Amino acid sequence: MGNENCSGECGKCSKECEKRDLHEKLHEGSSVKKVIGIVSGKGGVGKSLVTNLLACKVMRDGFKSAILDADITGPSIPTAFGLGQEKAQTATMQLKDGSAGQYIKSVKSESGIQLMSMNFLLPDETTPVIWRGPVISGAVRQFWTDVVWEDVDFMFVDCPPGTGDVPLTVFQSIPVDGLIVVASPQQLVRVIVEKAVNMANMMNVPILGLVENMSYVKCPDCNKEIRIFGESNIEGIAKDFGLKVLARIPIEQNMSVAVDNGEVESLDDGYIDQAALAVEALLK
């Protein structure tokens, strides 16, 4: 922390502490223009799917994208891109002061999306990460500081659910330019959104909008939208918080199959297009 007397309770942080820049520095060989956090107050709502779709969409739109998988104990990004067995490599480069420094190479997907995930550093993708919070937070910081990110326009940070150590580390250590809150059309959605919005406000990070995942299923015969979780109130909730609904993603078999088969880059159904435009507007 920037202040040696800091209690760690950011909601009660003093003005003196607020003036300090707690962000970690990128590796000098890196360049990242904008960072977007993908968050939710609850697990299982599809943050990783939204992260993957956004990274793929902005890449198709001509921007260079990257994903920092901050879900250290439950990484799923490599599998979605068919890179479950891939390992990150270390290399040496000459630093500005003339010395030699080591760095970690990001792993690139088929379309060139730069990725870093804990699974790239484990002996096997099924190896469990049994670490306490501070060690996990340290790994997230190292993904930012020790990996060389090459000329990235948009980095998407896939955060674990909730408002604990890792999301806090992301907000404090990485200069996040905006957040996208992911929810599902269930009764708890207001609580989910409100938790994420309140944390974002406390950390002074702007929210670009909401994405509702698992919104509906389309009948294969009549194309009618069937809302298996009941009627959604995402529009009303967004209005209450002064936010936009950027996307409503249905449950589709082809989407699930593509992710399971490591072919997420093949998905281009248009569901995430408006969310991608909101992200891309940060550079326009």
Side-chain angles (χ1 to χ4, degrees):
M1 305 295 290
N3 188 333
E4 62 181 7
N5 297 317
C6 180
S7 66
E9 298 180 29
C10 294
K12 300 178 181 179
C13 197
S14 68
K15 291 183 179 179
E16 178 188 355
C17 188
E18 286 174 358
K19 294 178 183 178
R20 297 174 181 267
D21 187 358
L22 304 179
H23 295 150
E24 300 280 353
K25 290 183 179 180
L26 272 173
H27 190 283
E28 65 179 52
S30 294
S31 173
V32 177
K33 293 177 182 174
K34 297 294 179 182
V35 180
I36 312 300
I38 311 299
V39 301
S40 179
K42 180 181 179 297
V45 297
K47 291 183 301 302
S48 296
L49 174 65
V50 172
T51 302
N52 296 335
L53 294 178
L54 280 170
C56 293
K57 173 57 179 171
V58 300
M59 197 75 177
R60 284 194 296 270
D61 289 347
F63 298 94
K64 291 185 178 180
S65 66
I67 298 176
L68 189 159
D69 189 354
D71 195 349
I72 302 297
T73 60
S76 60
I77 300 296
T79 301
F81 285 89
L83 299 169
Q85 303 302 318
E86 192 75 20
K87 301 303 173 193
Q89 304 297 318
T90 58
T92 303
M93 70 183 303
Q94 186 172 358
L95 304 178
K96 292 177 181 178
D97 62 6
S99 64
Q102 276 204 328
Y103 69 95
I104 304 171
K105 291 183 178 181
S106 62
V107 175
K108 291 187 179 181
S109 73
E110 185 176 340
S111 67
I113 299 171
Q114 297 174 54
L115 311 169
M116 181 47 60
S117 175
M118 195 65 209
N119 269 5
F120 295 143
L121 303 173
L122 296 175
D124 184 86
E125 64 179 341
T126 60
T127 302
V129 177
I130 309 174
W131 293 348
R132 295 193 183 274
V135 182
I136 294 173
S137 297
V140 173
R141 283 192 291 270
Q142 285 186 283
F143 283 178
W144 175 253
T145 61
D146 294 2
V147 176
V148 166
W149 302 98
E150 302 172 4
D151 194 23
V152 173
D153 293 312
F154 297 104
M155 172 182 284
F156 297 93
V157 181
D158 183 18
C159 292
T163 55
D165 284 347
V166 173
L168 182 59
T169 296
V170 170
F171 293 151
Q172 288 184 327
S173 303
I174 300 174
V176 180
D177 297 283
L179 297 177
I180 288 178
V181 179
V182 183
S184 57
Q186 295 165 299
Q187 291 300 314
L188 283 173
V189 66
R190 185 179 184 87
V191 176
I192 294 168
V193 172
E194 193 161 358
K195 282 179 181 289
V197 169
N198 286 341
M199 185 173 191
N201 290 338
M202 291 171 67
M203 304 304 296
N204 296 314
V205 181
I207 298 176
L208 302 182
L210 308 180
V211 170
E212 183 180 73
N213 189 34
M214 300 180 283
S215 290
Y216 55 89
V217 175
K218 278 192 176 181
C219 174
D221 297 322
C222 66
N223 218 32
K224 179 182 178 180
E225 293 184 4
I226 303 169
R227 293 171 174 81
I228 60 175
F229 292 112
E231 288 299 321
S232 169
N233 189 32
I234 194 71
E235 295 287 350
I237 293 169
K239 184 178 179 180
D240 289 345
F241 290 104
L243 301 173
K244 294 180 180 179
V245 177
L246 300 175
R248 294 176 64 244
I249 304 173
I251 300 172
E252 288 189 347
Q253 185 180 40
N254 71 304
M255 199 175 297
S256 177
V257 170
V259 172
D260 288 346
N261 291 340
E263 300 169 351
V264 71
E265 289 167 294
S266 69
L267 296 172
D268 187 14
D269 298 318
Y271 298 124
I272 208 76
D273 287 5
Q274 290 303 310
L277 287 176
V279 169
E280 292 166 8
L282 293 175
L283 277 183
K284 295 179 180 178

